[in-house]
Amino acid sequence: MTTRLDLLQGTLDLLILRTLVAEPRHGWAISERIQELSRDVLRVNQGSLYPALHRLEQQGWIESEWAVSELGRRARYYQLTTAGKKQLEREREMWTQFSAAVGRVMRLA
Amino acid sequence: MTLRAWLSRVKAVVSRSRAEGELDDELSFHIAMQSHKHREAGMDAAAAEARARLEFGNVELVKEDARDVRGVRPLEDAVQDVRYALRSLARAPAFALSVIATIGIGVGITSSAFTVLDAYLLRPFDVRDPGALFSVNWMDREGRYHDLTRADVDALRHANGAVADVMTFRTVRQRLGAAVAAGDAVSVNAFDMLGVHPAIGRMFRPDDAALPVVVLSHDAWTTRFGSDSSILGRRVPLWGSAFVVIGVARPGYTGLFKKPRDFWVPFAAADAVDPTRGSAARRDDAETSVVARLASGVTASQARAAIGAVLQASTANRSDGARAIRVSLESRESPIASSVRAYAQFMPLVASFGLILLLACANVANVLLARGMERRRELGIRLALGAARARLVRQLVTESIVLMLPAAAVGFGLAWFIVTAGTRAVFATLPADLAPFVRSVPLEADWRVVVFALLSTIGSAVVCGLAPSLRATRLSVVEATRGTFGESGQQRTRRGALVIGQVAASSLLLITATILLREASRLSRTETGLRTSDVVSVEPQPRFRSAVRSALEANRTVDAVASSSILPLDMKFPSMHVMTGDSVGGEVVYDRVSANYFDVLKIAIVAGRPFDPADEQAHASSVIITEATARRLWPGTSPIGRSIRVRTPPTAGAPDSASRDREVRVVGIARDVVVGSVADGKGASLLYFPNSRELEGCCFLARVRGDPDAAKRALDADLDRTVPGGVERIDRLETLVAGSIYPFRAAYFVAAILGIIALALTAVGVYGVVAYLIGQRTREIGIRIALGALTSDVLLLTMRQAFRQATVGALIGCALAVLLARVISANLPGVPAFDGVAFVTASISVVAACLVAAFVPSRRASAIDPTAALRHD
């Protein structure tokens, strides 16, 4: 079993926004997608996922819609808004700078 | 937060059940997907479901967080709390009713005080922009106050734009529709300036200035003329001349003063017929009272400066001491101009009525505290389950607000009742002859009082609810889990402090009330030193004076007629500066009386002689002084035959007239009488000068035969027939005495009622606390009884504490009352600085009431059945 990491503070929003770039997804699919792409290293805590989704919606970066899912049940699908796309760009930029900076410190210190 | 965000929140609360349903759906879908995934991986359905739930964690917690994100928590919580409160109150209706009644009484009493305060101090007059209206007068360098001359008024109207308009006025009193009426002679621009329109007819026009026309107040029209619309064009007699009624002012306007006005006449028209207004009053340099409307945007201090400049210019040619030095503006926004002093004067009213509400709050806080203790188990469980303390406190405070809201309605109803019944009681208990002279500003319990009642209720709810909820939610984990909640010593102390505070406050009120009541009864027994029972005072219109005197002398019921320049017991005695040969002196009030004055009023001349007819010659230089004056001016020696130098003050309205010194000789000493208010008692210095026929004063004093009331009525009817319109006022002196005592008696009566209510509230509070404590100690008491304690032992156990608290409270109350009594006696000369009887009786009553209140539940405690008690809890 691989080591699992808790998400760094503030990165959850970035990851959620990123997973919604391709297509609208519901909450479960978002957490599965993050887990899958991170090869099971990143686990999304449900306790923070849903509050985060509601917060992002409140801020107008994503919007939700009820639709019938693959199980034949009604599910809430989230999709990026235009403002959300811009926000994603900003957060991606900040993340790149942040990780590069941390990397430099680790290499050179 | 933007309006839209708020709207969305409100919508979220309204559609709360839908949002909650969606959240449920969303989360259960997640779990369904997860368990589906586990089934795909080969687990059986039940295990997959269980695993998915486990992985998800606490669903409720996630929901709470999600709700937090939506930002509707506070609102949702409030709705939930209100529902919860309603449910829990429905379960305890007796508790709810007692709290509502207690707070209702407190709020009602406070709101009735507010109604009075509002009517006099806070509510602006119903005229256009009342905030810009100011009375204007000015002070000269010698400290004399002046009104404005006609030239000043013109100068102000045209000066530097600070003043938009100026009206002049003069208060007058006349008979109107068979009863005395108060009115104003005003400049004809007054109603335009104030924006007051007619209900019927018209108001003054510029060309009415010198015409005998009159505008009635709506109230006078209704009560004196039966709302008769044919009143327009009718002639009514004023100053013995006919004035034509041209209009009735709209309801709600009764002038700009404390005492509502019944009619208005043009200033110049009134001057033309009013005999009290000599040619001096009509001169251009005569001064009149004015009210100015400041131009929009001009502040009072800017206006003061601008008006000051005008007045300094207009007085620049006068002698040095007569020049304007300071202008004073007094707001005419409400009946009493709001100022620090005005608020200070109302403070005793506000404080004593507010104290009643505080007492009610203390009672309720105690009950809530007890209830909170009983609910500690419930609260403990909720705390243990992770409820935030702030959330519980909020819930408990919400509960107390919900609980007390109906008290606002009760309080408002009570305030309305108190104000209505109180006004009626005042008019019912007033000496009947005085009732027409007493006017109050309209006291209305309207929306302002509703708002006040609501706010004071919510305030009380928070005050009462906060402390008990903080206390009840402060639980130790041990206690909460063990399920036993003892009361710590500190808590008991606090409850004790509450009771002691209550006892102190009610002792303070009761002691003060007793002091004032004793003063009231002393006042009603006061000897005025005057024979009042069968003497009738008659104030003639000046130009009918001799006709009235002849009519009085011809009347068969009249024994003797004296005259005086001042009505006895009037507050408005003039004063002059006197100096003896030994340079002892000071300001002394004086009166001018006829030779038989002392005989008619039965004032004994203790030394020397009374005035004789020879003294009644003009410029006679004899004076009779009172005993008090003799003691003051010639301590230890006889003043008969001595002379004093008196200085008459400059004639009012003629600032340049010189003061005149005159030498007079003391011919007699008269017994002391009450001068001015009865409350001041006897013993003020007073000089009597002889009257002359030419300088006859304001009024006649007629001693009548037979039943004085009937005689007075007969005299009134006779004078009305023989000298129609010649008499301004006719009263029995007895009535005037009663009238001068009345305000004190009324105020002291109110104080007594407040004291009794305070006492009742305190007794109820003590009862509640003792009953609660006994409930808490049931088991202990049971054990004591089982071990052989006697009824008296149990009584002593519970009563001892009540006695201790009552005594401490009463002592604190006494200490506070000593301070308060000093203040009272400094303001009301008759009241002693320390009235031992009042202190002792009032504090004994308070302690006794507390003991009785404690005794009732204590008796019950001594009847506790030990077997039942030991099974208890």
Side-chain angles (χ1 to χ4, degrees):
Chain A
M1 211 174 183
T2 41
T3 335
R4 283 172 190 157
L5 297 173
D6 281 332
L7 286 174
L8 275 170
Q9 188 75 39
T11 51
L12 179 60
D13 287 2
L14 171 64
L15 297 181
I16 291 173
L17 293 176
R18 179 64 189 85
T19 54
L20 293 179
V21 169
E23 52 176 353
R25 294 174 203 273
H26 48 70
W28 183 80
I30 293 170
S31 86
E32 280 296 300
R33 183 75 181 151
I34 293 171
Q35 209 170 318
E36 184 188 321
L37 290 177
S38 69
R39 303 210 178 95
D40 238 15
V41 173
L42 299 178
R43 282 243 159 162
V44 181
N45 177 3
Q46 322 308 345
S48 33
L49 173 66
Y50 285 94
L53 284 170
H54 287 223
R55 188 176 57 246
L56 291 176
E57 187 175 13
Q58 196 90 31
Q59 280 162 334
W61 293 332
I62 59 176
E63 55 194 15
S64 70
E65 209 176 359
W66 288 86
V68 178
S69 74
E70 52 268 44
L71 285 184
R73 269 181 72 158
R74 254 162 45 89
R76 191 175 202 162
Y77 282 83
Y78 294 90
Q79 72 181 67
L80 270 186
T81 62
T82 323
K85 284 174 188 153
K86 285 184 191 142
Q87 178 65 15
L88 174 60
E89 280 318 305
R90 272 196 298 276
E91 295 215 359
R92 188 210 294 277
E93 184 70 24
M94 275 161 60
W95 173 253
T96 321
Q97 283 180 12
F98 177 76
S99 59
V102 172
R104 279 165 63 88
V105 172
M106 296 317 288
R107 266 183 286 117
L108 305 174
Chain B
M1 192 176 298
T2 65
L3 180 66
R4 232 181 66 196
W6 264 112
L7 279 180
S8 93
R9 281 185 182 199
V10 171
K11 219 164 83 185
V13 171
V14 172
S15 61
R16 173 166 171 275
S17 55
R18 214 193 77 195
E20 282 293 297
E22 287 188 349
L23 190 57
D24 273 346
D25 283 354
E26 188 172 19
L27 298 185
S28 71
F29 173 77
H30 184 106
I31 294 169
M33 283 304 288
Q34 191 70 12
S35 90
H36 176 75
K37 182 178 150 190
H38 293 319
R39 275 203 305 280
E40 297 272 280
M43 294 174 86
D44 70 78
E49 177 77 19
R51 175 90 189 271
R53 287 198 176 280
L54 196 64
E55 283 171 342
F56 193 90
N58 189 336
V59 179
E60 290 307 311
L61 216 55
V62 175
K63 277 193 200 166
E64 282 280 284
D65 287 346
R67 282 188 210 120
D68 273 352
V69 166
R70 278 196 312 223
V72 295
R73 269 295 282 284
L75 280 171
E76 273 185 14
D77 285 353
V79 172
Q80 206 182 359
D81 287 348
V82 168
R83 279 193 195 146
Y84 189 86
L86 287 176
R87 272 203 304 274
S88 69
L89 291 179
R91 281 200 300 269
F95 158 77
L97 284 180
S98 65
V99 169
I100 289 169
T102 311
I103 294 293
I105 290 172
V107 168
I109 286 172
T110 322
S111 301
S112 61
F114 172 80
T115 311
V116 174
L117 187 72
D118 183 46
Y120 279 98
L121 199 53
L122 306 176
R123 180 195 303 262
F125 283 117
D126 183 15
V127 297
R128 179 158 42 83
D129 190 13
L133 299 175
F134 289 86
S135 291
V136 181
N137 49 45
W138 57 275
M139 199 178 76
D140 65 26
R141 284 168 195 274
E142 288 179 354
R144 283 178 299 230
Y145 274 93
H146 296 269
D147 286 325
L148 272 59
T149 65
R150 200 166 303 164
D152 292 335
V153 170
D154 285 340
L156 277 197
R157 282 211 183 101
H158 302 117
N160 46 36
V163 172
D165 205 352
V166 184
M167 61 176 268
T168 60
F169 71 93
R170 179 165 72 80
T171 302
V172 295
R173 202 173 66 181
Q174 285 294 301
R175 280 192 176 221
L176 180 72
V180 173
D184 278 332
V186 294
S187 52
V188 285
N189 64 330
F191 295 115
D192 281 341
M193 171 174 146
L194 300 174
V196 174
H197 304 293
I200 59 166
R202 63 177 181 83
M203 305 308 254
F204 296 141
R205 283 195 301 244
D207 49 357
D208 286 328
L211 297 179
V213 290
V214 56
V215 169
L216 301 177
S217 80
H218 196 269
D219 203 37
W221 180 53
T222 339
T223 56
R224 289 165 198 252
F225 298 99
S227 304
D228 181 0
S229 54
S230 73
I231 186 83
L232 297 181
R234 194 187 297 177
R235 284 157 208 284
V236 293
L238 295 169
W239 296 281
S241 303
F243 276 66
V244 179
V245 178
I246 55 165
V248 172
R250 65 164 159 74
Y253 178 72
T254 52
L256 295 178
F257 306 92
K258 259 178 283 186
K259 196 171 178 176
R261 303 295 194 238
D262 301 304
F263 68 93
W264 295 272
V265 288
F267 201 97
D271 269 3
V273 292
D274 185 345
T276 60
R277 305 278 289 173
S279 54
R282 270 170 263 163
R283 268 165 41 191
D284 275 350
D285 60 353
E287 295 177 350
T288 55
S289 315
V290 302
V291 171
R293 174 181 287 289
L294 305 191
S296 67
V298 175
T299 65
S301 59
Q302 288 166 343
R304 201 172 290 126
I307 295 171
V310 170
L311 289 172
Q312 264 151 18
S314 80
T315 57
N317 296 331
R318 299 195 187 176
S319 67
D320 202 38
R323 281 186 211 148
I325 178 168
R326 195 154 58 87
V327 171
S328 86
L329 294 187
E330 187 185 329
S331 167
R332 289 255 61 95
E333 187 174 9
S334 53
I336 297 178
S338 55
S339 64
V340 176
R341 234 189 78 217
Y343 283 105
Q345 278 170 348
F346 273 95
M347 261 322 280
L349 181 79
V350 174
S352 50
F353 281 73
L355 214 49
I356 296 284
L357 182 57
L358 271 184
L359 282 173
C361 282
N363 272 1
V364 169
N366 247 332
V367 175
L368 289 180
L369 207 53
R371 202 172 134 81
M373 289 302 153
E374 279 160 18
R375 286 174 64 181
R376 293 183 105 190
R377 183 156 310 179
E378 168 202 339
L379 297 174
I381 291 169
R382 293 185 57 184
L383 283 173
L385 287 178
R389 183 164 170 228
R391 175 84 184 74
L392 286 186
V393 169
R394 209 160 58 211
Q395 186 205 317
L396 290 173
V397 172
T398 308
E399 215 173 288
S400 78
I401 292 176
V402 169
L403 168 60
M404 291 179 208
L405 270 186
V410 173
F412 176 73
L414 189 61
W416 179 84
F417 174 78
I418 292 174
V419 168
T420 321
T423 314
R424 222 172 268 166
V426 165
F427 280 98
T429 54
L430 260 179
D433 293 344
L434 290 184
F437 296 95
V438 177
R439 308 292 299 275
S440 96
V441 299
L443 295 171
E444 283 162 45
D446 60 1
W447 65 269
R448 294 164 65 98
V449 181
V450 172
V451 170
F452 176 82
L454 209 58
L455 289 182
S456 56
T457 305
I458 293 175
S460 323
V462 172
V463 168
C464 300
L466 198 58
S469 12
L470 286 176
R471 163 134 324 286
T473 51
R474 189 183 308 150
L475 289 166
S476 78
V477 178
V478 182
E479 276 182 338
T481 43
R482 216 175 45 200
T484 58
F485 306 99
E487 197 172 43
S488 74
Q490 191 198 13
Q491 285 156 16
R492 226 169 286 148
T493 317
R494 245 175 241 196
R495 190 198 308 286
L498 216 49
V499 171
I500 290 171
Q502 269 184 307
V503 176
S506 61
S507 321
L508 175 65
L509 280 181
L510 210 60
I511 292 170
T512 317
T514 316
I515 293 176
L516 294 179
L517 273 183
R518 281 164 52 77
E519 167 69 3
S521 82
R522 194 184 64 80
L523 280 183
S524 4
R525 289 191 315 267
T526 299
E527 281 296 320
T528 54
L530 303 166
R531 174 177 180 139
T532 52
S533 60
D534 59 356
V535 176
V536 173
S537 71
V538 179
E539 277 182 71
Q541 293 283 0
R543 64 175 161 146
F544 292 113
R545 177 181 313 283
S546 51
V548 169
R549 174 185 264 280
S550 311
L552 282 174
E553 281 166 348
N555 195 296
R556 276 183 299 114
T557 55
V558 176
D559 242 358
V561 182
S563 73
S564 160
S565 64
I566 295 290
L567 196 60
L569 303 167
D570 197 323
M571 311 265 205
K572 286 169 278 183
F573 278 86
S575 70
M576 56 168 54
H577 192 266
V578 304
M579 185 79 78
T580 65
D582 308 327
S583 300
V584 182
E587 285 290 306
V588 178
V589 296
Y590 66 93
D591 191 5
R592 281 197 316 270
V593 300
S594 61
N596 62 346
Y597 181 86
F598 302 98
D599 177 48
V600 168
L601 290 173
K602 286 275 179 295
I603 301 170
I605 300 295
V606 294
R609 60 166 180 89
F611 290 135
D612 55 35
D615 289 314
E616 290 198 359
Q617 304 305 319
H619 312 301
S621 59
S622 41
V623 64
I624 291 177
I625 63 178
T626 59
E627 292 171 292
T629 321
R631 279 195 301 274
R632 179 171 154 200
L633 297 181
W634 290 277
T637 58
S638 165
I640 303 291
R642 307 253 188 167
S643 63
I644 38 178
R645 178 162 288 280
V646 300
R647 177 178 296 163
T648 39
T651 317
D656 288 331
S657 73
S659 313
R660 280 175 307 155
D661 277 11
R662 202 151 70 90
E663 194 95 355
V664 292
R665 208 165 48 81
V666 178
V667 298
I669 302 178
R671 210 172 279 302
D672 278 338
V673 296
V674 166
V675 179
S677 165
V678 174
D680 296 338
K682 286 190 276 193
S685 309
L686 174 65
L687 304 181
Y688 296 101
F689 292 101
N691 223 338
S692 58
R693 288 262 164 169
E694 308 88 87
L695 269 173
E696 218 157 40
C698 83
C699 27
F700 297 118
L701 298 157
R703 194 166 66 216
V704 293
R705 289 192 206 105
D707 173 47
D709 251 330
K712 181 223 145 185
R713 275 195 303 275
L715 205 54
D716 198 5
D718 179 48
L719 288 170
D720 208 32
R721 203 174 49 247
T722 50
V723 199
V727 174
E728 199 169 303
R729 251 187 102 158
I730 174 164
D731 295 291
R732 287 182 57 201
L733 269 193
E734 190 85 355
T735 310
L736 295 183
V737 174
S740 97
I741 298 174
Y742 186 80
F744 297 97
R745 289 179 62 182
Y748 300 167
F749 183 67
V750 170
I753 290 184
L754 283 186
I756 290 168
I757 293 175
L759 185 64
L761 282 174
T762 306
V764 169
V766 170
Y767 170 87
V769 169
V770 173
Y772 169 73
L773 286 180
I774 287 170
Q776 290 269 300
R777 295 168 76 177
T778 302
R779 182 197 288 265
E780 177 201 334
I781 294 170
I783 294 173
R784 281 169 188 263
I785 293 175
L787 290 176
L790 299 174
T791 308
S792 57
D793 297 330
V794 176
L795 276 180
L796 202 62
L797 178 74
T798 50
M799 300 277 294
R800 199 187 297 138
Q801 187 183 6
F803 179 71
R804 206 166 40 226
Q805 287 172 344
T807 321
V808 173
L811 285 177
I812 297 177
C814 282
L816 293 175
V818 167
L819 299 179
L820 189 61
R822 286 241 175 97
V823 177
I824 295 175
S825 98
N827 287 298
L828 295 172
V831 180
F834 184 82
D835 181 346
V837 178
F839 275 82
V840 171
T841 45
S843 17
I844 288 181
S845 330
V846 171
V847 174
C850 291
L851 289 182
V852 170
F855 182 72
V856 178
S858 302
R859 263 298 290 277
R860 226 164 30 224
S862 65
I864 287 174
D865 174 8
T867 39
L870 292 175
R871 276 203 305 271
H872 176 79
D873 204 35

